[in-house]
Amino acid sequence: MNAVTTDCAPLVRTAPAWLTPLELTALGAIWGASFLFMRVAAPDFGATPLVAMRLWLGALVLLPLLWGARRSFPPALWPRLALIGAINSAIPFTLFAWAAQRAPAGVGAITNSMAVLFVALIAFLFYGEKIGTRRAIALIAGFTGVVVLASGKVAGAEVGPAVAAGTAAAFLYGIGANLVKRHLTGLPATAVAGATLLCAALMSTPFAIADWPTAPVPLRSWLSVTALGVLCTGIAFVMYYRLIARIGAPRAATSTYLVPLFGVAWAWWLLGEPLTWTMALAGVLILGGVVMSQKR
């Protein structure tokens, strides 16, 4: 995860009452699975080749939408898109892939949830937005959860470096979301996502080539990176912005709450990764902070 959010006019669409919760759950499950796929593929590909392929596949899914809105993207806008692509995709994706080589998938999924809190923190520190008592408490709870998570061990191994990498990635998501909100408002959201992914893919390619694996890569890792790029990046972005158009950004963002739950569940079910008490406690603290930070 993380979706690039831009303000766009909601579209009035009718849909069965059951469709929205189903799509929100499916989106949370898909984004939760992204940490499973990274955990499987990262040891065989390495972080930078994995990320480059993920970005290219995601960008290709969104390319038709970007092409259709190409007149909205003058040449002068592309350096800004490239910067946001680096901050919001290339670097955080690499950090999560690096973490996936060193810690269970659930660790990355839990730290990813901090992005919502970092959006509020960055807006407070650099853009003068009020944070309020409730959000301040939410931030304290979230950071306490990170400390608890970093202090734990899984199967006797330290996960602190992976937690630090995941938290740094979430911090970059917080910066990226604020930049998008203030500098790309009014542009077609899915086209912006395609443009930033394309820029990030171009930037990541030289590093991927330099670090390309020399040993044969198993089929399951190829399938994982394909699912990561096509399903968890490209198709998930389309689903997310479709939900924004129908129900608005605040309600669509509730899918964030489901990502760590599915991330941990997929890893436990399919990879046999344990759920430790530190992961559970950290998840409660971080998710509780995320819920508390949202407007009533």
Side-chain angles (χ1 to χ4, degrees):
M1 190 230 174
N2 188 45
V4 182
T5 55
T6 57
D7 294 335
C8 56
L11 302 178
V12 178
R13 297 182 181 178
T14 58
W18 53 265
L19 183 60
T20 293
L22 178 63
E23 289 186 343
L24 286 169
T25 303
L27 187 59
I30 290 170
W31 273 335
S34 67
F35 295 93
L36 165 73
F37 294 134
M38 282 190 285
R39 180 65 169 161
V40 171
D44 294 315
F45 279 107
T48 51
L50 172 66
V51 168
M53 287 189 291
R54 174 184 185 178
L55 290 167
W56 276 114
L57 289 168
L60 288 173
V61 172
L62 294 172
L63 190 59
L65 300 172
L66 174 60
W67 180 256
R70 63 189 182 280
R71 297 184 185 277
S72 301
F73 294 83
L77 184 62
W78 282 93
R80 191 176 300 173
L81 291 166
L83 174 63
I84 292 174
I87 292 173
N88 211 61
S89 297
I91 301 174
F93 283 5
T94 303
L95 287 169
F96 276 125
W98 183 88
Q101 295 175 280
R102 294 162 174 81
V107 170
I110 293 169
T111 55
N112 177 81
S113 299
M114 284 294 295
V116 177
L117 301 178
F118 280 127
V119 171
L121 181 62
I122 296 299
F124 168 72
L125 292 176
F126 298 104
Y127 296 102
E129 291 191 11
K130 293 182 180 180
I131 200 166
T133 303
R134 185 159 51 90
R135 282 192 170 182
I137 295 172
L139 285 166
I140 293 171
F143 289 122
T144 302
V146 169
V147 172
V148 170
L149 187 62
S151 66
K153 293 184 178 182
V154 178
E158 299 283 351
V159 298
V163 172
T167 305
F171 179 74
L172 290 172
Y173 284 155
I175 296 174
N178 277 281
L179 290 176
V180 169
K181 180 179 179 181
R182 286 159 178 83
H183 298 290
L184 299 179
T185 296
L187 294 170
T190 48
V192 167
T196 55
L197 286 176
L198 180 60
C199 291
L202 290 168
M203 287 184 283
S204 299
T205 298
F207 299 99
I209 294 173
D211 197 32
W212 194 260
T214 55
V217 176
L219 177 60
R220 76 169 193 163
S221 291
W222 282 107
L223 294 175
S224 293
V225 75
T226 301
L228 184 63
V230 174
L231 177 62
C232 301
T233 307
I235 294 175
F237 271 70
V238 174
M239 290 177 61
Y240 183 66
Y241 288 117
R242 177 182 172 182
L243 280 165
I244 288 176
R246 190 167 72 240
I247 63 176
R251 287 186 65 196
T254 58
S255 60
T256 303
Y257 308 154
L258 301 175
V259 172
L261 303 179
F262 275 107
V264 171
W266 289 133
W268 169 77
W269 182 34
L270 298 175
L271 299 180
E273 293 184 347
L275 173 62
T276 66
W277 73 267
T278 52
M279 290 171 64
L281 179 58
V284 169
L285 287 168
I286 293 173
L287 279 179
V290 169
V291 173
M292 189 183 299
S293 72
Q294 302 304 295
K295 295 180 180 179
R296 295 186 184 275

